[in-house]
Each structure stands twice: as structure tokens, then as C-alpha cells.
Amino acid sequence: MAGSVEKPLLAVISQGCSANFGDGEKIARLFEDDYRIVFGMSQLNDENRECETPAAFVLNVCTVKGNAGALKLLREAINSAPHAKLFITGCAPKDFREEASKISDKVLYTSLKDLHANYNTSLRGARATKQSTDTLRENPLIGIVNIEEGCLDACAYCSTRLVKGRLHSYPATDLVQQVKNLVEDGCVEIQLTGQDCGCYGFDFGSNLAELVQQILADVPGDYKLRLGMGNPRHMLQYLDGIIDCFKDERVYKFIHLPVQSGSNDVLYAMNRKHSVQDYIDLADAINRQFPLFTLSTDLIVGFPGESERDFQDTLDLLEKTRPTVCNITRFVARPNTPAYNIAGSVPDEIKHQRSATLAEAFQRIAAENNSRWIGEKETVTIEKPGYRKGTYIARNAAYRPVAIANKTPLKPGERFTVTITAAEPFALIGTIS
């Protein structure tokens, strides 16, 4: 008797950015007629699931901060299922493949594009159209919509562009329909994502603000949009338009603008095309409009040639723009990138010192930012259970995580009014009103 229980098990495991997770879900939908799908290693070990060895893995890897995390994932997959098929996709540049080959010679490298072309045509035929329904998701309440692939920059340290290439934006009409399908299927959060959402549409005369306004106009419903990362130089070109988008209550008051350094000299060496002032202007314009806005940024310490003065400039920028989310990375030279051969390497000891100093300053700023929420009444959406029994993580209008303790079980997707009673650097503490 045929049935889903007879299908072999496929584990799709994604790392890194939401764009990678969006691709992972698309890959899962390509295989769902022929496999039972689980997402992530944790689902393989779920206490509610009988122990079963996957027949295959799709490892959708991220190597932005180096190869170690992706190589560890490969080893874990091999150890858990030595005879399973191994497919690797995502950001897997040449140097990663060379290291991975020392672990296993049975890895098959592929891409979402190749899977669409080959798997659909060779194995599934007419059934391939089913994947467009977007019903298989890692989180049933969150819809990830990849709006573009690639970028218009050539940052000296970046290996992702070696894999993803130049900007390719997806048609707005297709994206609007995708969002509509997801909202109708019960999603309460839609994440618009890509390698650089800031330059979305530049290849056909549009931009991110125009896409968002089209979605808001054409997709009714009780949902929220979260905008993906955008490089400052692109966002500046339509700043007024993006601010107008944030005025709609269906758009999270959150933006990710990676500045990377507070020194113009270091930005120049990185081949970043924005200035420090560009980033300041963006942050100031948004914060003036929305005082409790969540500004997120990225900072790299220890880039070749970074002096103490350069690092102090980065600290000063942190104090001036006061982001509430900050991803701090110690520079790692990636083979085949221009930065790999730049002179003036910073010793690891100094990288660690600067990283620790930056993290300490950021956590103080984040705690101060979050303390401004104390006393506010907020409508929040439950996202997931917390680490401690009886606790839950919710999101408020600025995409801040809100920790809630409640004796009665709460379900993801439920909405409550809470009073913010305390704040930590990485979360708000709320009580259901």
C-alpha cells in the first residue's frame, strides 16, 4: 500500500542568512513528492519522531565567515547517516569544496537552478509545478520570499559574490503573487530576502520601496513584512520611498544596513561604495521618523591595514548611530577574493581585543536602546517557545524579540497585548496585559 510512510527520508539543512533558508525551502518543495522532508538536525533528533536514518541530505551551506561551520555540518551528516546521499548547495566556493573533498569524496554539488532544471525535467515531469504552491516551510507561519539573487558590488572580502554572481531581480508580479499565496496559507510574517535587497529592481528600473508598496496595495491581510539586508549606497537612492513603507503598520520597523567599518579608509580598502556619512545619513533619517526603530548593522574588525585610529572611528560610529542589532565579525581572508592578498594583516590577538571591545560597547548601547521600551504596551505575535519551560518568544512592531512567561501554553501566531517590564541587550521582557 503506497503512502507517505513508505517514502525515504530527506533532511534539508540550511545555514546562514534568510535567503539561504528560503532556497532550502524551495529545494525541499522540489523533492516533497518523492521524500518525506525534515528541516535541520534538531528535527532528526525530535523526541516525537522515531529514530530514523535519512536516505539523503541536502546541506545548504554558508561560508561567509569561513568554512568551519559548513565542514562541521558535513561531518555531522556523515556521522549520523554514513550511507546517505550527500548534496551540497548554497555558498560553496572552490576553497570549501577542496576542504570538503578531504572529508568525503561522495559529495554531489548542485544549486537551486540546477535542481529546477535537472530534477524537475528528469525525475518529476509534470509534477514539478506543485512546488510553486509554497506550502512546505520550515516554519508554517513564516513565509520566506527570495526577491533577488546576486549583487551589484564587488567587496574585497566577499566570497558570496563568487557563487551568486551579478544581480538578478525576480519580477514584481511573481513576488506579489507569492506573498498573496503565503498569506492565504496562514503566514503571519513575510520575509523579503536576497543577497542585497537594497538593489532589488535596479536591473529593470525599479526598487525595493516600489515592490513593498505594490505588495501592500495588492495583498490584503493581517501580516507583517520584514525587509532584508540592503547596502547603504543603494538605499540612499530611494530613502523617502522606503521611509513611506515603514509608515504602514504591516511593515516591521526594522532594517539591516551593513556599514562594516567606521573608517572611510577601511571602507575604500574593502571596496565598499558607500561612505561613513552615507550610513549616518540613513540612520539619522530613519531614527528621526521612528524613535523606537530597530537599526541592524554589520561590522568587520581587523581588516588588513586597520589602524587603532580606524578602529576608534568604528567605535565612534557605533556610539553615534546606536544600532540595536549588530553582527560583529573578525576578518577572515577568503581564498580567491582580493582581500586575500592585501598587505597589512592584523594579528589575531588584536582582532580578538577589538572584537571584545566593540561587543562590550554594542551590548551597552543595545541595553540602553531596549530600556526605552519599558512601560510601553505592545501588540506582539508569538513566534516560538523559549529555552526555559513556560516561556515564549514573541515579536513586536519593531521586530524586537519579547520574552514572555505564561502558565497557560501559548501557540505560535497568537497575538497579545503586553507591557514591557524589563529589558536586556538582546531582548525585551513582557507581561501579558
Side-chain angles (χ1 to χ4, degrees):
M1 176 176 158
S4 62
V5 295
E6 296 180 346
K7 296 178 185 178
L9 188 66
L10 171 67
V12 178
I13 305 174
S14 297
Q15 298 177 311
C17 65
S18 57
N20 238 27
F21 278 83
D23 283 346
E25 291 183 354
K26 290 179 181 178
I27 290 168
R29 290 192 284 269
L30 290 174
F31 285 93
E32 68 175 319
D33 278 342
D34 301 302
Y35 289 88
R36 285 173 295 128
I37 308 295
V38 293
F39 291 102
M41 282 290 188
S42 60
Q43 284 198 20
L44 287 177
N45 302 318
D46 191 322
E47 61 183 12
N48 297 318
R49 175 184 295 279
E50 292 183 10
C51 183
E52 182 179 358
T53 301
F57 285 93
V58 175
L59 307 181
N60 190 23
V61 301
C62 173
T63 58
V64 168
K65 296 183 180 181
N67 296 334
L71 294 171
K72 179 182 179 182
L73 179 61
L74 175 59
R75 292 188 184 96
E76 288 176 351
I78 293 172
N79 290 337
S80 65
H83 302 295
K85 294 179 181 178
L86 284 167
F87 297 90
I88 289 184
T89 185
C91 295
K94 181 181 177 182
D95 64 298
F96 167 77
R97 297 185 183 203
E98 290 172 349
E99 290 191 64
S101 67
K102 299 174 184 177
I103 298 173
S104 174
D105 59 0
K106 297 179 181 179
V107 173
L108 299 174
Y109 293 93
T110 187
S111 67
L112 180 59
K113 182 179 180 181
D114 289 342
L115 286 170
H116 268 296
N118 299 326
Y119 189 74
N120 284 354
T121 302
S122 303
L123 301 179
R124 299 185 64 197
R127 292 181 300 162
T129 57
K130 182 182 176 185
Q131 63 86 26
S132 64
T133 61
D134 298 336
T135 56
L136 180 64
R137 297 182 294 276
E138 192 156 352
N139 184 326
L141 298 176
I142 297 177
I144 303 176
V145 179
N146 292 50
I147 65 173
E148 59 84 32
E149 187 168 286
C151 70
L152 292 176
D153 293 272
C155 301
Y157 53 82
C158 184
S159 60
T160 302
R161 68 184 183 86
L162 302 176
V163 179
K164 299 297 184 179
R166 295 283 288 178
L167 172 69
H168 172 68
S169 303
Y170 300 123
T173 52
D174 293 350
L175 298 173
V176 171
Q177 186 60 52
Q178 194 175 345
V179 172
K180 187 176 295 185
N181 292 344
L182 290 166
V183 172
E184 290 176 353
D185 196 46
C187 288
V188 298
E189 178 181 317
I190 305 295
Q191 298 181 358
L192 304 184
T193 188
Q195 276 69 60
D196 184 358
C197 293
C199 59
Y200 169 81
F202 282 19
D203 44 350
F204 51 69
S206 185
N207 60 53
L208 178 61
E210 291 179 357
L211 171 64
V212 171
Q213 293 292 6
Q214 189 171 341
I215 291 171
L216 295 172
D218 294 350
V219 183
D222 190 9
Y223 63 91
K224 285 191 179 292
L225 290 175
R226 193 197 76 176
L227 308 190
M229 183 274 284
N231 274 313
R233 75 184 185 101
H234 301 314
M235 290 286 196
L236 271 175
Q237 297 183 50
Y238 51 94
L239 175 58
D240 291 342
I242 209 71
I243 286 177
D244 283 343
C245 292
F246 289 125
K247 293 176 182 177
D248 192 300
E249 65 179 12
R250 290 172 292 172
V251 182
Y252 280 118
K253 308 302 184 285
F254 167 94
I255 197 166
H256 180 193
L257 300 171
V259 63
Q260 305 299 8
S261 175
S263 162
N264 281 322
D265 289 340
V266 173
L267 290 177
Y268 181 81
M270 289 177 169
N271 202 30
R272 300 286 283 173
K273 300 299 183 182
H274 63 267
S275 68
V276 173
Q277 192 60 48
D278 289 337
Y279 174 76
I280 292 172
D281 290 345
L282 277 167
D284 286 351
I286 293 170
N287 285 329
R288 280 197 305 270
Q289 285 281 338
F290 312 101
L292 291 175
F293 196 91
T294 299
L295 174 65
S296 172
T297 195
D298 299 345
L299 292 169
I300 296 173
V301 297
F303 192 81
E306 182 187 66
S307 66
E308 282 296 330
R309 179 66 260 173
D310 294 326
F311 177 66
Q312 186 58 52
D313 287 344
T314 297
L315 272 174
D316 292 345
L317 181 66
L318 194 70
E319 295 283 354
K320 185 176 181 62
T321 56
R322 302 183 65 79
T324 303
V325 179
C326 186
N327 304 305
I328 300 169
T329 303
R330 293 186 295 272
F331 172 74
V332 176
R334 302 309 312 277
N336 304 310
T337 64
Y340 190 76
N341 297 311
I342 293 180
S345 63
V346 177
D348 285 344
E349 180 182 355
I350 293 178
K351 289 182 188 177
H352 282 274
Q353 290 173 353
R354 292 177 181 174
S355 176
T357 300
L358 204 57
E360 182 180 3
F362 160 66
Q363 289 185 36
R364 173 180 51 78
I365 290 168
E368 291 169 357
N369 287 350
N370 281 341
S371 69
R372 296 161 60 202
W373 287 93
I374 295 175
E376 295 283 334
K377 286 187 178 294
E378 283 282 295
T379 298
V380 301
T381 304
I382 303 299
E383 183 177 82
K384 60 185 178 181
Y387 293 114
R388 298 173 185 170
K389 186 176 181 179
T391 64
Y392 300 86
I393 302 299
R395 295 282 179 176
N396 72 357
Y399 203 65
R400 300 303 303 131
V402 181
I404 301 169
N406 205 63
K407 294 179 180 179
T408 305
L410 305 178
K411 296 179 181 179
E414 287 187 301
R415 291 189 172 93
F416 297 93
T417 299
V418 302
T419 301
I420 305 302
T421 56
E424 298 175 353
F426 301 106
L428 307 175
I429 312 299
T431 302
I432 294 179
S433 301

